[in-house]
Amino acid sequence: MKITHLPYKKILVIGCNGFIGSHLYSYFRNKNIEVIGADINSLNNQTFLLNKDLSNLKDLLNLYSFDLCINASGSATVSYSIQNEKDDFLLNYKNVEKILDAIKIYQANCKFINLSSAAVYGNPASLPINENAITNPISPYGKHKLLSEQLLLNRASNEGQATLSLRIFSVYGNGLKKQLFWDIYQKTLTSDVLNLYGTGFETRDFIHIEDLMLALQKIIFHAHFDGSAINVASGMESTINLAAHTLIKHLKPDTAIEFSGLQNSTDPNYWKADISKLKGMGFLPGISLEEGLKKYAQWLKELN
């Protein structure tokens, strides 16, 4: 279905070859919107190859006139940020600053969305978490995402740049090759008994990648680009135990799951988002965890 009356003629997706970025690129192209993808890795000749320091971003901005830039690049895992804190800072904060600077100089009217993370909340004092909750990140990844949010708010408030941060919770779906569900899949290849970290009672707010795309569509239509942050999630809380067993049911039913009981200090205990702000833009999640993990399991089976 073609999107009509879209207030954007051309969209730039930075990080177009990553999990979320690749879905963004395909989603908007399938809606007959002109999309340009850029990444430091070129998987095809349609990708604008960026230098790792983004020094040639100005060349891209001089080639095309963009109405919207979505930054889906950067480090995407807590574990990487712990092992490579300096690099994570460069990827999740300094590169955001470079993109904003380039937009300001070469395309001042281009709006900017940065993909942030629920990691900025850390361990919330209460659930569900709304956007006004105290931010208290417990990992370098969360701290750097919060710094980028503060940068966007500062640019919007003091310099008039049209910016927006999206606090994405636990997104999953076809193409995901990291984090909990990918780890479970990898372990099923070598064992019939899976040992997972934690107690299993920890909770997450899972959102399927297709619902994330729908949310992005609603946001670019209705959000005010005032530097604020928006929760992007399903608004539903699920235990890790339930999620793991649901995936295994569709992937390798005879597999047993055990939890070590050990917990990382950089992993939050419980997450459930308040998505009232997003619902106010017309978003409702359409894919249940059961349905989403069934789709993901089928995709995983097709990899073999």
Side-chain angles (χ1 to χ4, degrees):
M1 177 182 176
K2 182 177 180 179
I3 300 176
T4 58
H5 308 300
L6 186 75
Y8 309 101
K9 294 180 180 179
K10 189 171 292 186
I11 296 175
L12 169 61
V13 177
I14 299 177
C16 68
N17 292 331
F19 170 52
I20 297 178
S22 62
H23 279 273
L24 283 169
Y25 181 81
S26 299
Y27 180 81
F28 287 118
R29 282 179 65 90
N30 289 338
K31 299 292 185 181
N32 295 320
I33 298 170
E34 191 170 3
V35 185
I36 302 297
D39 207 303
I40 61 170
N41 299 304
S42 181
L43 300 182
N44 54 62
N45 57 13
Q46 294 180 318
T47 302
F48 183 91
L49 186 61
L50 288 169
N51 297 334
K52 289 187 177 180
D53 62 359
L54 303 187
S55 57
N56 64 334
L57 180 58
K58 62 181 183 297
D59 298 330
L60 174 58
L61 296 179
N62 281 324
L63 277 175
Y64 304 99
S65 178
F66 297 105
D67 303 291
L68 174 67
C69 172
I70 304 175
N71 180 37
S73 68
S75 160
T77 63
V78 169
S79 58
Y80 180 87
S81 76
I82 294 170
Q83 297 167 10
N84 306 275
E85 187 166 350
K86 183 178 179 180
D87 284 345
D88 190 85
F89 175 75
L90 293 173
L91 292 168
N92 284 331
Y93 175 76
K94 292 301 294 184
N95 279 2
V96 175
E97 185 177 43
K98 289 178 181 179
I99 296 168
L100 283 171
D101 288 344
I103 289 174
K104 181 181 178 181
I105 295 170
Y106 299 102
Q107 295 204 25
N109 293 323
C110 179
K111 295 181 178 179
F112 180 70
I113 291 176
N114 191 55
L115 303 191
S116 186
S117 168
V120 301
Y121 292 118
N123 276 310
S126 61
L127 299 178
I129 320 163
N130 67 39
E131 290 87 352
N132 294 321
I134 294 173
T135 51
N136 186 28
I138 53 178
S139 68
Y141 173 76
K143 291 173 184 176
H144 301 153
K145 286 293 188 181
L146 183 58
L147 285 174
S148 70
E149 286 190 10
Q150 293 166 345
L151 175 64
L152 265 62
L153 180 59
N154 179 270
R155 290 297 184 92
S157 301
N158 299 325
E159 301 182 32
Q161 282 193 276
T163 66
L164 195 64
S165 296
L166 304 187
R167 291 175 178 167
I168 298 174
F169 280 66
S170 300
V171 61
Y172 71 99
N174 295 8
L176 181 66
K177 293 185 176 181
K178 58 189 175 185
Q179 300 168 344
L180 173 66
F181 297 136
W182 178 255
D183 182 48
I184 289 173
Y185 164 68
Q186 291 287 298
K187 289 179 177 178
T188 63
L189 299 177
T190 58
S191 177
D192 291 326
V193 179
L194 307 186
N195 191 274
L196 301 180
Y197 220 72
T199 65
F201 296 108
E202 298 85 359
T203 63
R204 295 293 181 266
D205 190 328
F206 295 102
I207 179 170
H208 192 269
I209 188 67
E210 293 177 27
D211 277 339
L212 177 59
M213 295 301 104
L214 177 60
L216 261 292
Q217 181 181 321
K218 298 295 185 182
I219 287 166
I220 65 175
F221 265 105
H222 301 294
H224 298 292
F225 284 71
D226 55 3
S228 60
I230 299 173
N231 285 340
V232 182
S234 68
M236 291 173 277
E237 183 181 16
S238 301
T239 65
I240 300 297
N241 182 60
L242 172 65
H245 278 92
T246 301
L247 177 58
I248 285 298
K249 177 175 68 174
H250 297 294
L251 185 62
K252 193 179 176 184
D254 295 332
T255 305
I257 299 176
E258 299 175 349
F259 288 91
S260 68
L262 301 173
Q263 293 176 292
N264 280 322
S265 61
T266 52
D267 289 339
N269 295 320
Y270 310 107
W271 269 354
K272 178 184 178 182
D274 181 335
I275 59 169
S276 300
K277 197 171 180 179
L278 188 56
K279 283 183 175 179
M281 300 177 195
F283 171 78
L284 287 174
I287 299 178
S288 67
L289 186 62
E290 175 80 29
E291 180 186 357
L293 287 176
K294 183 177 180 180
K295 286 185 177 187
Y296 185 59
Q298 184 58 43
W299 177 77
L300 291 171
K301 290 177 183 178
E302 293 171 359
L303 295 179
N304 297 327

